[in-house]
Amino acid sequence: MKCLISVVVPVYNVEKYIDRCLNSIINQTYRKLEIIIVNDGSTDNSRKIIDKFSKMDSRIIVIDKNNGGLSEARNVGINAATGDYITFIDSDDFVSYDYIEYLYSLIEKYKVKVASSFYQIISSEDEIKTNEEYIDQKLTAREAVNKMLYRENIAHIACGKLYSLDLFRNKPTINFSKFFSRKEYYEFNPVENSMYKFPVGILNEDLALIYFLIIEAGSIAQGTKKTYYYFSNPDSISRSRVKKKDFSVFSLYEFVSSVILDYYPDLDDAVLEFRNTIYVKLYKRIITEKNAEDLMILIWATGELKDDRFLALLHPLTSHRHSDVRRITYSALRKIESPSSREYLQRGLYDSNPQTRQYCAKALAKIGNKNSLKMLKQLRNKKNFEKEYVLRAYEEAISILEEDI
């Protein structure tokens, strides 16, 4: 007898795409489904389109709620699910007609609690590619986590996978409390009422949960057939603005990594590779960003990370035409504290922005040399200090350097 499979579809203002998504679900070759559509407070025509489909297919269950975000909508779906297995499909994406049948066949074949398939990122249906040749295999949790960290055929996203609902019903075996050494980690807690849930109110919610589900499952089935189509709106990137909250992913990385290494200490190289992937994304964004306000937030993030790999990007920005961009750049250099920045910080002592001069003096107090001391003394005697805090910074730097040099 076939198992009941719950399909959770969070919906928020996707009137352009929801038809395609729901059509791909109701026409699945695997028929024993409960399709849980969580309307997360949509204000467009999404709810009307959902009504149309619910009249067409009795397997559809509609839940309306106030807008609370993707994680909250998924969690509502998890609570409502009554199937043996559960899968998540975002409402602007769609799946192949054998998506569920393929994943369920892998579960049955390998007797595991999680199955994963390939996904393809597309911006139009014309880009869809099917792979006629594909393989499948059983992986231990350690092998699967390693592949996810290296981005080898398994993505750390919730979609494109089929899970035993028991993973969301049983009490977690991972003791997360010992990993909450840093206060900011609490927001990534994937456990609520002794059950796994998607953390609410954070970005990258999949990253905060999927690795732990794999560890709990013990093993997974991995198939290379493309069955999930992730729709990337080509206009969304140009419209998106940078926010400081975007960089919570670095703290999230540290949290997830600490749990992974507690279970698999030998995966330290894979964890480092994962970290580098996140850094590269920030690196590329800095290179291409044209908006000065967004660029300043990106530069601020490099300072918070205190990673000298960003210096090659930051040094040229000390000559940026915008005074505020220069100021934030020097602030980042001050936090990174690399001797290789000394020449740029010395140049910053002559910047027109008084706060920039203050940052540079404070930085040189830690990494300055004899030449830095000489410059600071000359400027202290010659410069007309319109801001007292700049003079204090110069005096403090001179005092510290005279003792150290």
Side-chain angles (χ1 to χ4, degrees):
M1 185 175 179
K2 287 191 172 184
C3 293
L4 177 65
I5 295 178
S6 303
V7 183
V8 175
V9 187
V11 173
Y12 179 71
N13 289 355
V14 285
E15 60 182 10
K16 292 182 180 179
Y17 314 112
I18 192 171
D19 258 299
R20 180 180 61 188
C21 176
L22 295 182
N23 267 315
S24 74
I25 296 171
I26 66 173
N27 289 304
Q28 287 292 299
T29 54
Y30 191 97
R31 304 301 297 168
K32 194 170 183 181
L33 308 175
E34 64 171 6
I35 304 166
I36 304 170
I37 303 176
V38 183
N39 176 36
D40 191 34
S42 295
T43 56
D44 63 358
N45 289 317
S46 295
R47 187 60 174 86
K48 292 180 180 178
I49 298 170
I50 293 170
D51 285 340
K52 179 185 72 174
F53 277 89
S54 65
K55 292 174 183 177
M56 292 166 47
D57 197 316
S58 61
R59 298 173 297 172
I60 291 178
I61 301 166
V62 182
I63 301 174
D64 290 303
K65 61 179 291 296
N66 294 330
N67 181 249
L70 180 62
S71 288
E72 192 175 286
R74 283 177 175 171
N75 291 340
V76 168
I78 292 169
N79 291 339
T82 62
D84 301 287
Y85 297 92
I86 188 168
T87 189
F88 303 95
I89 301 175
D90 289 346
S91 50
D92 50 353
D93 302 335
F94 60 101
V95 294
S96 65
Y97 292 137
D98 63 346
Y99 166 72
I100 293 174
E101 185 171 10
Y102 178 65
L103 290 173
Y104 181 66
S105 71
L106 295 177
I107 294 259
E108 288 285 281
K109 179 178 180 179
Y110 292 107
K111 307 302 179 188
V112 292
K113 293 185 176 182
V114 179
S116 174
S117 63
F118 270 20
Y119 74 100
Q120 181 184 349
I121 300 175
I122 63 170
S123 56
S124 75
E125 293 184 47
D126 295 335
E127 299 172 3
I128 293 176
K129 296 178 181 178
T130 58
N131 51 337
E132 299 300 329
E133 296 183 6
Y134 43 87
I135 60 172
D136 54 68
Q137 61 182 327
K138 182 178 180 179
L139 300 171
T140 64
R142 182 203 167 280
E143 291 170 332
V145 168
N146 186 60
K147 281 182 172 289
M148 289 165 68
L149 290 170
Y150 277 113
R151 306 176 311 286
E152 291 180 358
N153 301 333
I154 309 177
H156 53 243
I157 59 174
C159 303
K161 297 176 179 66
L162 184 64
Y163 311 83
S164 168
L165 191 60
D166 288 344
L167 290 171
F168 294 93
R169 295 287 187 256
N170 296 339
K171 185 177 180 179
T173 63
I174 299 174
N175 178 17
F176 289 100
S177 60
K178 70 177 184 177
F179 300 104
F180 293 142
S181 57
R182 290 169 54 180
K183 189 175 180 181
E184 63 264 33
Y185 287 175
Y186 280 101
E187 66 175 326
F188 308 133
N189 186 4
V191 179
E192 180 184 321
N193 297 325
S194 298
M195 291 185 289
Y196 277 113
K197 294 291 172 63
F198 288 93
V200 175
I202 70 167
L203 301 175
N204 303 285
E205 58 281 318
D206 291 9
L207 174 58
L209 179 61
I210 300 308
Y211 283 98
F212 309 140
L213 294 178
I214 300 298
I215 292 173
E216 296 282 6
S219 60
I220 78 164
Q222 179 214 3
T224 62
K225 185 175 185 179
K226 291 178 183 176
T227 61
Y228 192 97
Y229 299 101
Y230 178 93
F231 182 72
S232 176
N233 186 341
D235 298 323
S236 62
I237 295 176
S238 62
R239 288 200 306 264
S240 64
R241 297 297 304 274
V242 180
K243 302 177 290 296
K244 287 190 176 182
K245 188 177 180 180
D246 295 344
F247 302 101
S248 63
V249 66
F250 294 103
S251 294
L252 176 56
Y253 154 80
E254 298 289 350
F255 169 61
V256 174
S257 296
S258 64
V259 179
I260 291 173
L261 291 175
D262 189 65
Y263 274 80
Y264 311 116
D266 60 322
L267 294 186
D268 50 342
D269 285 344
V271 165
L272 181 60
E273 174 66 20
F274 177 39
R275 177 178 185 262
N276 289 340
T277 301
I278 299 173
Y279 275 54
V280 166
K281 288 182 179 179
L282 174 58
Y283 199 97
K284 288 180 177 178
R285 187 70 189 265
I286 292 173
I287 292 173
T288 58
E289 185 57 57
K290 304 299 182 185
N291 182 284
E293 291 182 8
D294 288 352
L295 180 59
M296 285 190 288
I297 296 176
L298 292 166
I299 296 169
W300 165 85
T302 67
E304 294 300 302
L305 294 170
K306 299 184 172 94
D307 194 307
D308 59 11
R309 287 178 296 179
F310 288 104
L311 292 176
L313 281 178
L314 294 175
H315 288 161
L317 291 173
T318 59
S319 300
H320 198 278
R321 66 183 185 278
H322 287 289
S323 171
D324 284 338
V325 171
R326 296 197 305 273
R327 173 177 56 81
I328 296 297
T329 301
Y330 281 115
S331 175
L333 292 177
R334 178 168 68 92
K335 292 175 181 177
I336 295 173
E337 295 182 10
S338 170
S340 65
S341 299
R342 188 182 297 127
E343 177 185 342
Y344 297 91
L345 291 163
Q346 289 174 170
R347 184 196 306 160
L349 294 172
Y350 296 88
D351 195 90
S352 60
N353 188 308
Q355 200 167 17
T356 294
R357 300 199 298 276
Q358 177 197 32
Y359 290 154
C360 292
K362 287 187 173 183
L364 289 169
K366 296 182 178 181
I367 63 171
N369 57 13
K370 289 183 178 179
N371 191 44
S372 307
L373 177 59
K374 180 180 178 181
M375 294 175 68
L376 285 162
K377 285 183 174 179
Q378 290 175 343
L379 289 169
R380 177 192 60 183
N381 297 330
K382 293 181 180 180
K383 204 161 186 68
N384 178 23
F385 289 95
E386 71 277 25
K387 300 292 184 182
E388 187 176 335
Y389 63 79
V390 180
L391 176 60
R392 283 200 305 270
Y394 278 46
E395 294 281 10
E396 289 172 5
I398 290 169
S399 176
I400 292 170
L401 289 173
E402 283 182 332
E403 289 184 13
D404 294 343
I405 296 175

